[in-house]
Amino acid sequence: MTFKIRNKSSGREFIAEKLETVLAAALRQGVMLPYSCRNGACGTCKGKLISGKVDYGTYEAKAMSVAEKENGYALFCQARPLSNLVIEAKEIAVAKDIPIRIMPARVVQMEKLAEDVMRLSLKLAEGQRLQFLAGQYIDILLSGNQRRSFSLATSPLSDEMLQLHIRHVPGGYYTDHVFSKMKEKDLLRFQGPFGVFFLREDSERPAILIAGGTGFAPIKGMLEYAFAQGIKRPLHLYWGVRAKSDLYLQNLPAMWAKEHKNFKFTPVLSEPKPEDHWNGRQGWVHEAVAGDHPDLSQHEVYASGPPPMIDAIKGMVKKHRLPEDRLFFDSFEFAHAPAS
Ligand SMILES: Cc1cc2nc3c(=O)[nH]c(=O)nc-3n(C[C@H](O)[C@H](O)[C@H](O)COP(=O)(O)OP(=O)(O)OC[C@H]3O[C@@H](n4cnc5c(N)ncnc54)[C@H](O)[C@@H]3O)c2cc1C
């Protein structure tokens, strides 16, 4: 049994196979709806159901309120059609022609950048390249239909070798493996690229980039891409971490600030240690941004990192006059068990 889905906003139609979510069906057929975590947690894929019925699936209450559901919204990463549908959702043209592929890769280098951050350098098979937009992420495919998402920390201009910055989640199924058992030369399989977290190149607006912990990874990819392309719009990176040792590659943005007049770097520590002798910014990273930019009406904001940080930034939109469609984010939600 298949169902036809029509997007009223674009007039495009696509088919959902049995038990396929609206988003999975759209992506399979090159219809790029907005999305981020694909776990029913971040809310990016929320869109309007104009007609038809869906199974709403499982999702977190913060991603869609009861009122939104009653007003005809659904999370397309979880919703499975139970009839033909008409939906209303914006489509993202730039990413639509990039194929999502499953590829093998070899771990060629593992470097501990901090006590709990590992940089994995992955090499693709001879002659293979991954086409992606700086800031997108991949899913590492694991046994039992499990997958774990990690952002690409490199620019697509150097797409032969991919890099990931992996934070150790103590007790975490995959990151425990990375920190205790994984060895250089191991093989893995991944699927990607995914997501719509990339620098909008059709804009000249000043961009504020907010990274929380390993949220630096996709932003690093975006900035390296922007510098290589000679993008001249103002770019201001705020990187929030606990203590100085968590700024695991801080020489890099410090160097960019020297090399590029349009780039500024503000590290923000929430819990500096006495031995850090820190006299820079302190507190939550979103508060540092809010303090410097009470009015964000002329900016774009790109944010990636832990869900509480992303929620706090979403909460700034109204107060600081940031138009909702100029906030782009990847919330580092953790994976839920695969659907049975
Ligand atoms: C789009 C996207 C991009 C991401 N990019 C990166 C990245 O570049 N670098 C990176 O380090 N991480 C990133 N993450 C987060 C990463 O996917 C998870 O930390 C990872 O899946 C944990 O896997 P695990 O098997 O070790 O933990 P699991 O076994 O899945 O989790 C064990 C338990 O740990 C807790 N937990 C797991 N992950 C998190 C988390 N992120 N925050 C809070 N609690 C958690 C939960 O309670 C969970 O039940 C990204 C997530 C998304 C959705």
Side-chain angles (χ1 to χ4, degrees), residues 37-45 58-64 75 77-78 307 311 314 331 333-334 336:
C37 74
R38 284 160 47 245
N39 270 317
C42 75
T44 311
C45 65
T58 45
Y59 57 89
E60 289 184 21
K62 67 168 185 165
M64 181 169 69
L75 293 177
C77 78
Q78 300 300 305
D311 291 342
K314 285 188 199 166
S331 182
E333 309 284 347
F334 52 90
H336 295 285

Side-chain angles (χ1 to χ4, degrees), residues 203 205-208 289-290 292-301 316-327:
S203 166
R205 291 181 183 281
I208 294 177
V289 175
D292 292 353
H293 302 278
D295 180 358
L296 287 166
S297 58
Q298 299 309 314
H299 288 76
E300 280 183 356
V301 173
M316 286 167 50
V317 164
K318 274 215 180 87
K319 191 167 170 214
H320 297 273
R321 300 181 56 222
L322 175 68
E324 240 171 271
D325 60 354
R326 284 203 237 115
L327 170 62

Side-chain angles (χ1 to χ4, degrees), residues 196-212:
V196 293
F197 187 60
F198 56 85
L199 196 67
R200 282 12 185 208
E201 287 182 68
D202 54 0
S203 166
E204 284 299 314
R205 291 181 183 281
I208 294 177
L209 305 111
I210 312 173

